[in-house]
Amino acid sequence: PYRTSLGPDVMSIDVAVSEDGDQVTITADVSDYAMTELSGKKQLSTAVQTIRSVKAYLGSHPYDASPSQPLLMKPSGGSFNSHTESVSLSIDTSSIDGRHTICLVASDTDGYDGTVGCEYIDIPVTADATLTPKEQGGTITDDEPTTEDTNSTNVAELTSNETDSTAVASTETIPGDIASRNNDVCPKISSEEVCNNVDSCRWRKNINKSKCVNLCQGRQNERKCLKHSMCQWDSNMSKCSRK
């Protein structure tokens, strides 16, 4: 632990997930100097080393017995030449989904590794193994509206009355068969809980704006379409749609 305090600190980590969830961009600020400028504390002599490298570990901690292969982050200026750097890394996440961790550790030119900083990455779920029966679409109970008494007016009323997402989530239900017939229903839902209760919709979290999206609509090729078992690829139309 005493050696760790001599290395660079991870000051911030930002995670941005692409619209289709196939790429994640990690940006971070690291410094071997910032934490030595503390009020009332004498400047430490170890605060002048240049950053040598910043490594990222996807899905593991660098102190794990068998950590994942480290990924080298790139400095914004093209090369490491300062005790404080901004770094970035783009990761192909087309083969994974769900929640993962990304852990960063920086080193200086004296060979000291600093403290580890970690952040969550939330990639849109596209595999049935991670879905609950309710999310996959269950049968309609007696308390739920049927196809005959639910129409586009109900959907409009739902979105217009979503001033309190908690209240809406507890009182409104959209049957899965309605959503499968109407591809426009997902973007109209502003509540995360309501969105995830519709079998063909999922709540997509993004660093800029979170929203409800259609699972199949917008998947532009067969590989992306078939990542989710609820979707099917139409080779003649070159289109992904709900089964």
Side-chain angles (χ1 to χ4, degrees), residues 8 30-34 47-51 81-85:
V30 298
S31 179
D32 199 35
Y33 179 72
V48 295
Q49 283 79 41
T50 300
I51 304 296
N81 53 22
S82 175
H83 52 60
T84 300
E85 297 279 0

Side-chain angles (χ1 to χ4, degrees), residues 17 84 108 137 148 166 183:
V17 181
T84 300
D108 62 28
E148 288 73 23
T166 303
N183 284 334

Side-chain angles (χ1 to χ4, degrees), residues 23-41:
Q23 181 172 289
V24 170
T25 301
I26 312 295
T27 56
D29 293 317
V30 298
S31 179
D32 199 35
Y33 179 72
M35 294 302 292
T36 66
E37 285 196 321
L38 303 177
S39 177
K41 303 293 183 180

Side-chain angles (χ1 to χ4, degrees), residues 98-112:
R99 169 161 282 196
H100 301 267
T101 56
I102 187 76
C103 292
L104 311 183
V105 60
S107 305
D108 62 28
T109 51
D110 276 5
Y112 292 109

Side-chain angles (χ1 to χ4, degrees), residues 144-208:
E144 293 176 324
T146 62
T147 303
E148 288 73 23
D149 53 48
T150 303
N151 52 37
S152 58
T153 303
N154 298 120
V155 174
E157 290 175 354
L158 170 65
T159 56
S160 64
N161 292 328
E162 282 183 329
T163 55
D164 185 337
S165 61
T166 303
V168 171
S170 62
T171 59
E172 300 289 348
T173 305
I174 303 177
D177 61 337
I178 300 298
S180 65
R181 290 190 296 105
N182 185 357
N183 284 334
D184 293 331
V185 70
C186 300
K188 295 179 180 179
I189 301 174
S190 60
S191 165
E192 180 177 359
E193 186 173 351
V194 173
C195 177
N196 290 332
N197 280 335
V198 180
D199 63 346
S200 61
C201 302
R202 285 298 174 273
W203 189 258
R204 177 166 293 165
K205 294 183 179 180
N206 190 279
I207 191 172
N208 295 319

Side-chain angles (χ1 to χ4, degrees), residues 74-92:
K74 297 180 179 180
S76 58
S79 62
F80 291 110
N81 53 22
S82 175
H83 52 60
T84 300
E85 297 279 0
S86 294
V87 294
S88 62
L89 172 69
S90 292
I91 305 174
D92 181 0

